[in-house]
Amino acid sequence: MLTFRKACWTFTCMIKAMRIDIITILPQLLEGPFNHSILKRARDKGLVEIEVHNLRDYATNKQKQVDDYAFGGGAGMVMMIEPIDRCLQHLQSQRQYDEIIYLSPDGERFDQPMANRLSTLQNIVLLAGHYKGVDERVRQHLITKEISIGDYVLTGGELPAAVVTDAIVRLLPGVLSDETSALTDSFQDDLLAPPVYTRPAEYKGWQVPDVLLSGHTQKITEWRQQQAEERTRQRRPHLLDDENDN
Ligand code: SAM
């Protein structure tokens, strides 16, 4: 008879792994984030496929040029449409994509509900920009979604692509060893997570709350709920006001 663990594993093997393709001019920047810890294990177990593509491989001239001066003048180079279009055409000839996403400071603000939604998709592309950004026609004609990781400007889209990928992958079935862990994290259920403690129970006179040592499951659950609400009220009160429409 199948144990529960084996049944889960069998189910996980039956569903097709999510695929994330990242297009960048600096693939070496993305070597670290996906090759350690939970994301590496998820890839090794076949729960997600993450492929990084060097945009220069799709350049049309010998210099592997992917950027040029802005029409009309002004500071900063602009990423050309042609290599991006060629790379996307190559990827789209192999599979259908649910979203082709450009990381951009003026995109839709990334948050947990968006991570939840993206984690239900099968195939997505993340396009990392550089310099002044991409030729506007890429945004008008080739992209289906634009995401910002916050109201500040970074030098390139690789770190935002890594942030988005990490937030998505940890939600995929089988990635976290305890499936319920992601559900009790901040922003799920519009609440921040309650405080957590581990051994020793007392350090330099600083005590762990008695209730957590009591072994009384119901009281611990109530305490955590009350702490989560209190923390949310203090730090992100808008989460309690908002109608949850996700
Ligand atoms: N000229 C652009 C502007 O003012 O909005 C900024 C370009 S930025 C220097 C270069 C690239 O970094 C962008 O094309 C984008 O891919 C990425 N990037 C920078 N900040 C980002 C953010 N907050 N969220 C997502 N991507 C960002």
Side-chain angles (χ1 to χ4, degrees), residues 165-206:
T165 302
D166 187 301
I168 293 172
V169 172
R170 67 191 296 280
L171 297 171
L172 299 177
V175 170
L176 297 184
S177 48
D178 179 350
E179 301 270 309
T180 59
S181 180
L183 299 177
T184 56
D185 283 328
S186 291
F187 307 111
Q188 302 288 8
D189 293 336
D190 285 340
L191 284 179
L192 298 184
V196 291
Y197 298 84
T198 187
R199 289 185 296 176
E202 193 237 298
Y203 181 71
K204 292 185 175 176
W206 301 324

Side-chain angles (χ1 to χ4, degrees), residues 102-106 127-134 147-150 152-157 160:
Y102 173 50
L103 285 315
S104 180
D106 60 4
L127 170 63
H130 264 270
Y131 319 120
K132 286 308 252 184
V134 297
I147 295 179
S148 165
I149 62 159
Y152 44 82
V153 177
L154 302 167
T155 54

Side-chain angles (χ1 to χ4, degrees), residues 90-127:
H90 170 72
L91 293 176
Q92 285 170 314
S93 71
Q94 297 178 344
R95 68 194 62 76
Q96 254 197 319
Y97 286 91
D98 302 300
E99 293 283 13
I100 297 180
I101 298 166
Y102 173 50
L103 285 315
S104 180
D106 60 4
E108 190 183 343
R109 194 88 64 83
F110 190 57
D111 59 10
Q112 191 62 48
M114 197 194 293
N116 294 349
R117 280 196 298 277
L118 292 175
S119 75
T120 65
L121 303 181
Q122 186 64 60
N123 303 315
I124 63 169
V125 174
L126 300 176
L127 170 63

